[in-house]
Structures are given as C-alpha cells and as structure tokens.
Amino acid sequence: MEKGRLEAFSDGVIAIIITIMVLELKVPHGADLAALRPLLPVLLSYLLSFVYVGIYWNNHHHLFQAATRVNATILWANLHLLFWLSLIPFVTGWTGENHFEALPTALYGLVLFLSSMAYWLLQCAIISEHGHDSKIADALGPDWKGKLSPMLYLTAVGLSFVKEWLADAVYVLVALMWFIPDRRLARVVVEGDSAGRRER
Amino acid sequence: MEKGRLEAFSDGVIAIIITIMVLELKVPHGADLAALRPLLPVLLSYLLSFVYVGIYWNNHHHLFQAATRVNATILWANLHLLFWLSLIPFVTGWTGENHFEALPTALYGLVLFLSSMAYWLLQCAIISEHGHDSKIADALGPDWKGKLSPMLYLTAVGLSFVKEWLADAVYVLVALMWFIPDRRLARVVVEGDSAGRRER
Amino acid sequence: MEKGRLEAFSDGVIAIIITIMVLELKVPHGADLAALRPLLPVLLSYLLSFVYVGIYWNNHHHLFQAATRVNATILWANLHLLFWLSLIPFVTGWTGENHFEALPTALYGLVLFLSSMAYWLLQCAIISEHGHDSKIADALGPDWKGKLSPMLYLTAVGLSFVKEWLADAVYVLVALMWFIPDRRLARVVVEGDSAGRRER
Amino acid sequence: MEKGRLEAFSDGVIAIIITIMVLELKVPHGADLAALRPLLPVLLSYLLSFVYVGIYWNNHHHLFQAATRVNATILWANLHLLFWLSLIPFVTGWTGENHFEALPTALYGLVLFLSSMAYWLLQCAIISEHGHDSKIADALGPDWKGKLSPMLYLTAVGLSFVKEWLADAVYVLVALMWFIPDRRLARVVVEGDSAGRRER
C-alpha cells in the first residue's frame, strides 16, 4: 500500500489542529492594552502547543520519509496518534484560560504522554512492517528521546500538583530537547538515497 | 480522468470533519474535575465518531487504491458521501450534549445509515466504471459487511426509542466489525501490484 | 510553472469552505423534534450551498485537468475566485438564519454572480496562457452555461425583492443545470490522453 | 529531503488561515441593510488580509518551486513563518471589530513585520542550503521588496498612533507592491526548466 495518502491525510489533520488552536485567541472587545493582557497566557499556551505539534509533524515527516510502505495496522496506529494530537487544542485552551492551574496543566501532560505513546506504537508498527533488521529499525536505534519523553511527561503530571510552574518547565525542556530533529532518520534517507544529494 | 485530486479533496474534507468535531469539546471555565465531568459524554461521542470517520477514511483509501480511474458520476457519488459525513459533527455534538437521549441517538444512526448508503452508491459507481467483471468487482464479492451495516444502523434507530443504550451498543458493535479493514481490496491492490512487495 | 500546488491549495480552501458551512448547524439544547425544526431552513441552505461549492470544485477539477501550465495571472485569478467562494458560508448562514428573506437571498445571488464572474476570468486567464487556438479554447466553445448563469443570478437578485421563493427557484434551477459536468472539457482531456483509456 | 510534504503541509495551514478569517464575519440576526453595516469594516479587514495571505502563498509557491531540496532548518524556518501567519486572523478580527483603532492597527503591522522577518529567514535558510552561488541566490539578487516591506510595516506601526488611516494606507501600498509576483524566481524556474515551455 502506498504511503502518499496517509501522509496527505495526516498533513491535513495536523494542519487543522495547529491552526484551530489560534481560535482560542478570542478577539477582545476593547482596543487597548488592558484588553490584550488576559490573552497573554493563551498566547503562551498556543506558542508551546504550536511547537509541540510542529515537532510531531517534523518527526512524522522524517519517519514516513524513511518508511517505504504502509499496512492496515500502520493506518490505524496513525489515526490513533491523530486522535491524541486532536485533543491538544482542547487542553491548550483549558491551560490558557485558567492561567496554568494544576489540573489543566496535568491534563496537558497526560495528553502529551498519550500522544508520545501513540507515536511510539506507530513507530513499532512501521518497524514491524519493514523488519527488525531493516535500515529504519537500525537507524532508530536506542531511541532515548522517545523513551525519555513519556517519563518526563508523567513526571510533569505529578509536578503539576506540587508546583505548577515546575511542570511547565518540564514541558518547555522536552520541547527544546525535540527541537533538534531526528538526525538518525535523516541519515537513513540520505544513505538510501541514490541521488547522491549534498547533505549538511 | 485522474483520481489524485478526488483523493486529495476527500482527504481535506474528511480531515476537517474529523478535526472540527473536537471543537464541541468546549473549554470549561472552572479548573477542577467538576468542570470536566459534563464533557465526558461529549468525549465519548467524539471518540465513537472519530473511529467511524476513521473507518470511512480507511475504506475510502482502500477503495480508491483499487480503482484506476474516475468519471463524473464517481465525482458526484463521492461528494454525496462527503455531504452525509459532514453531518456527523452535528449529530455527534447533539448526542454528546444531550447525554445520549433517544432522538439524538436515532438521528446519529440515521446519518450513519445515509452515509453507508452513499458509500455503497460510490462503490457501485466505481464498479460500473471498471466493469462488472473487473478485479475490483470480483474482490468486493458478496460484501456482507457493506450490506449488514445499513440494516444494523436502521435497527439501532428503532432501538433508540426503546432502550437508548441498546442503540449505542449497536453503533459500537458495527464500529468494531469495520475496524478490521477491507482485506479483499488490499488483496487486489497487491495482486495488481507488479512491484512484488512483501505483504503480510 | 506547475499546476499541482495551485490545485492542492484550491482543494484545501474549497474543502474548508464546504465544511465550515456545517458549523452554522448549531447543536440545539433540547433533544426533541421541536429543537430541530428551526434548523430545517439552515439545513436546506447548507444543502444548496454544498451543491454549489461541489459544482465549482468539479468544474475547477475539469478546467485544470485540461490546463497544462499556470502563470502569475492564473494564480491571482484563482485566488480571486476563492475569495468570492469563501463568502458563500457567510451568505448561506445569513439566508438560513433569516428563513429566506429578501435581502439575504439577494446577497446570496450577488455572491454567486461574483463567483461566476471570477470563474469566467480564471477561464480567460487559462485560455490566454494556452492560446486562443489551443484545444482547451476550442473545447470551451460557446460556453453557454457560463454565460447564462451570471444573467440568471442577477435576475434572481431582482426577483428576491418581488417574491423571495422565485429567486430560490432560480438558484435551484441553475444548480441543476450545472449538475451535469462539463463534458466539453472531459472530452479534451480524453483526446489529449494518449493512454487510450475507455471513456463512457 | 523532499520538499513535497513541506509544500502540502504549508498549503494546508495557509488554506485554513485564509478561510477561518471569514468566520469573523458573524452572521447578523437582522435581515436588513442596517444589520450588514457593522460588518463593512470586518469585510475590509478580511479583504486586506486575504490579499496578504494570498501574497505569502504566491511567494512561498515561487520560492519552493525554485528550491530543489529542504533540510531540518528549512522545516523549522517554515513552521516559524506559519506561526506568525497564523496570528493574522486574530489581528484581522481585532482591527475589524474595532473599526481600525490605533492599537489594533499597530499590532496588525507588527504581525506583518514579524511574518516578513520569518519569510526572510526562510529565504536565507533556503539560500544557505542551495549555496550562495546557486541560481536561486543569484535570482533573488538585491531583493529590495523583501528589504523595504519590513521597514514600511514598522513605519506603519508608528503611524498608527499618529493618524490611524496613514498606517492603513501603508498596508494597502505594500500589498499593491507585492501584488506583482516575484518575477526573478519565476525566471529561475524557467531557465532551470529543460522542458522549454513557452513563457510570457
């Protein structure tokens, strides 16, 4: 089965997720700075979630560029990932509206945790389709970032109820950690790429 | 006529349908568990509808991967399917907001019934274009799932007015039944695929 | 310049236009038939507009399948068309909410008129790029449907202030007239298609 | 890394941005001209922003048609651009609702300024990937429009607090200046295009 349509559909869903979050930035009635001030936490939540969804899109892009084909399990694993990602606008809006209180912050982390688990399942489904001794399995290797992130998300869920800002710090930290894209996968694509393009 | 743009447009519409449903999960004002509780039925409706739209996308993907060309009738049969699917967010929101009462549940089933009829018409249009003795017609064969589902949806519409939860049980059952993707079509694609890829 | 990205972007915008119209179908609070009744005119407007946007997508699909390349003028003529189409959800919502009163009905016709003018301009830009003696120019020929529709829309705008339902009748009539896709363009694509596919 | 998915994702996001702006045109309750009048400034803001987003889409299209490959830096530079563009619906709604008052007008300019900076960074990332002596770097040449626009946006931000309409005039002016698409890039694509298509 070809991967093109799965990529196109995922692009569509992720593009909508990343864009509807901005609808939480409700147009204020006043036209002065005071009208903008309550929007600041909403904007900050939006920025963080934009980066997270951007990271997922980037990694999804790298992962499927390394993949050569899909099967029914991969289709569903991908939909499962999209389901959790689709809850990000909701938790973003809830965190933003409640100025980063404990429960919304914890739920934010829970959705990030479940998204990371879904991504990990998708990765497993792809490796299983391509074989455990395939280039893509090799390249993912120990995958420490993929293993560390869910643990950090769960830690942040706990921290939300201690000091809420500690949880936020963890979310920012994990985002920074992922900001550096998955060079392992980029390497496979290049090695498997007979066109011999210049890589930096 | 090439099928690429029909697929891209359908991907776009289905991606939006699946994503705007989440907008019914309105951000609550409170920041405690009590504020989340009324959202539980909305989340459950969302989950069920997400799975249904996911099933339609999966089957649509399989169907058009088996198809080799489209005509004007197929374009309209496809738009007709998208019309009924586009009503799913509305009936999902109505069921969710009314904690699964009789009429919303019945209307939910009615929209599922009309969507399944539209899918069946689309399938007929594609078979008619490719010929009744084509591989795709052969592969669809008796299509018992496609014939059983509309009957079950109609049954559920009736059951909504008897015991509402019976109708819900039918919806969950049909979703589970379809969860297993259409292996028949997957088989054609493979047989017609000279690339000789490994299939599991 | 390649036409692929223009098609993809237009597909995206049209998919969103066709889908956000359904957001006007606001989920009612009650769970009985009485709660649904005020939604009937909204649903009818939605259905009509869905068909219109579907017609535009179909014709756009046929037009660009016949086109072989695009230029800067075509990009802007296409954006101009998308601008007027993007106002369809607004006029649809206004007509639906006001149970087909005179002014909303007239504005609906005005937007349809301006969309049809924009489509005509786009067609001119494409013919101008491909040459007046090209196959595509030949095939469009007298284009009586493209010339008749704007006149009928303007008539309907006038009729809105006499008997509102007469304008609605015209809108339904024009939709039916366009329902039959543009066989002229389909023919060019086939003639220009060396693959010798079976055409019906 | 292939550029196709970056283009598809950007098309999706830009298509949504351009379309959700129309949601600010809220359906009025009345059915007379008086009900429409307050929507006029909203419509004008929408038109201006539609043109701006259209310009960004056009230039993005030209830029990536000239590019042959992407890297991780380009992916993030592109997401960065999409972030600022995604704020355009918000500032458009705020300007429209407040009938072009000083602060909303200034913020509108600020978002345009930051978008133009993000576009410039994206351009730099692409040139850096393709080499400073590549055709694409040559073709962009002095890029006076790209250098002038941010300065004009900043001027408009200042002018907002003097005479608000002066800032609006600058926004309209810059839009007109960009309306003429980037012929430099169009030229590279043609020169690099061995198909020898007729160019006008």
Side-chain angles (χ1 to χ4, degrees), chain C residues 3 15 53 108 124 146-147 188:
Chain C
K3 64 180 180 172
V53 179
Y108 190 87
C124 291
K147 276 170 189 147
V188 199

Side-chain angles (χ1 to χ4, degrees), chain D residues 32-191:
Chain D
D32 48 3
L33 270 179
L36 278 187
R37 209 160 301 139
L39 290 175
L40 196 66
V42 183
L43 185 67
L44 286 179
S45 322
Y46 172 53
L47 178 59
L48 184 64
S49 296
F50 190 97
V51 171
Y52 265 114
V53 179
I55 287 166
Y56 271 103
W57 181 76
N58 264 13
N59 288 336
H60 194 274
H61 179 283
H62 284 273
L63 186 62
F64 276 92
Q65 197 138 28
T68 54
R69 62 186 179 277
V70 298
N71 60 18
T73 313
I74 294 173
L75 290 193
W76 278 109
N78 190 55
L79 276 166
H80 178 236
L81 170 64
L82 294 177
F83 177 77
W84 293 114
L85 291 182
S86 81
L87 293 182
I88 288 183
F90 171 76
V91 288
T92 305
W94 205 33
T95 330
E97 183 146 319
N98 289 287
H99 300 212
F100 305 102
E101 281 193 41
L103 191 65
T105 308
L107 199 70
Y108 190 87
L110 192 66
V111 168
L112 287 183
F113 170 72
L114 291 163
S115 302
S116 68
M117 287 288 98
Y119 189 83
W120 177 77
L121 281 173
L122 175 61
Q123 212 169 262
C124 291
I126 290 176
I127 291 176
S128 153
E129 167 70 16
H130 290 76
H132 284 277
D133 48 355
S134 66
K135 270 185 188 170
I136 187 170
D138 254 24
L140 284 165
D143 189 25
W144 64 270
K145 279 204 282 189
K147 276 170 190 149
L148 190 58
S149 308
M151 284 185 255
L152 288 172
Y153 294 141
L154 279 189
T155 312
V157 169
L159 287 174
S160 307
F161 298 103
V162 185
K163 289 275 181 213
E164 189 273 337
W165 63 265
L166 278 174
D168 292 334
V170 174
Y171 299 145
V172 172
L173 202 91
V174 178
L176 289 176
M177 183 179 93
W178 277 104
F179 204 74
I180 305 140
D182 218 314
R183 293 191 184 279
R184 293 162 305 161
L185 286 170
R187 219 178 300 131
V188 199
V189 176
V190 173
E191 281 165 12

Side-chain angles (χ1 to χ4, degrees), chain B residues 79-120:
Chain B
L79 276 166
H80 178 235
L81 170 64
L82 294 178
F83 177 77
W84 292 115
L85 292 182
S86 80
L87 293 181
I88 288 184
F90 172 75
V91 289
T92 304
W94 206 32
T95 330
E97 184 145 322
N98 289 285
H99 301 213
F100 304 103
E101 281 191 43
L103 192 65
T105 307
L107 198 71
Y108 190 88
L110 193 67
V111 168
L112 287 182
F113 170 72
L114 291 162
S115 302
S116 68
M117 287 287 98
Y119 189 84
W120 176 77

Side-chain angles (χ1 to χ4, degrees), chain A residues 188-199:
Chain A
V188 199
V189 176
V190 173
E191 282 165 10
D193 185 358
S194 58
R197 291 169 177 168
R198 180 172 55 106
E199 180 69 14

Side-chain angles (χ1 to χ4, degrees), chain B residues 1-6 8-9 12-13 16-17 20 23-24 68-73 75-76 78-80 82-84 86-87 89-90 92-95 97-98 101-104 107 128-131, chain C residues 7 10-12 14-16 18-20 22-23 25-33 35-36 39 43 46-47 50-51 54-55 57-58 60-62 64-65 178-179 181 186 189 193 197-200:
Chain B
M1 219 187 291
E2 285 163 39
K3 65 179 179 172
R5 232 187 125 178
L6 184 147
F9 181 70
V13 173
I16 299 159
I17 289 172
I20 60 176
L23 294 177
E24 278 302 314
T68 53
R69 62 183 178 279
V70 299
N71 60 18
T73 312
L75 291 193
W76 277 109
N78 190 55
L79 276 166
H80 178 235
L82 294 178
F83 177 77
W84 292 115
S86 80
L87 293 181
F90 172 75
T92 304
W94 206 32
T95 330
E97 184 145 322
N98 289 285
E101 281 191 43
L103 192 65
L107 198 71
S128 155
E129 166 71 14
H130 290 75
Chain C
E7 289 181 325
S10 309
D11 279 352
I14 298 174
I16 300 160
I18 217 168
T19 324
I20 61 175
V22 89
L23 294 177
L25 269 178
K26 304 239 169 64
V27 170
H29 288 290
D32 49 3
L33 270 179
L36 277 187
L39 289 176
L43 185 67
Y46 172 53
L47 177 60
F50 189 96
V51 171
I55 287 166
W57 181 76
N58 264 11
H60 194 273
H61 179 282
H62 284 273
F64 277 91
Q65 196 137 32
W178 276 103
F179 205 72
V189 176
D193 184 0
R197 291 170 176 167
R198 179 173 55 106
E199 179 70 13
R200 37 185 67 203

Side-chain angles (χ1 to χ4, degrees), chain A residues 19-39:
Chain A
T19 324
I20 61 175
M21 284 192 300
V22 88
L23 294 177
E24 279 302 315
L25 269 178
K26 303 236 170 65
V27 170
H29 288 291
D32 48 4
L33 270 178
L36 277 188
R37 209 161 299 139
L39 290 175

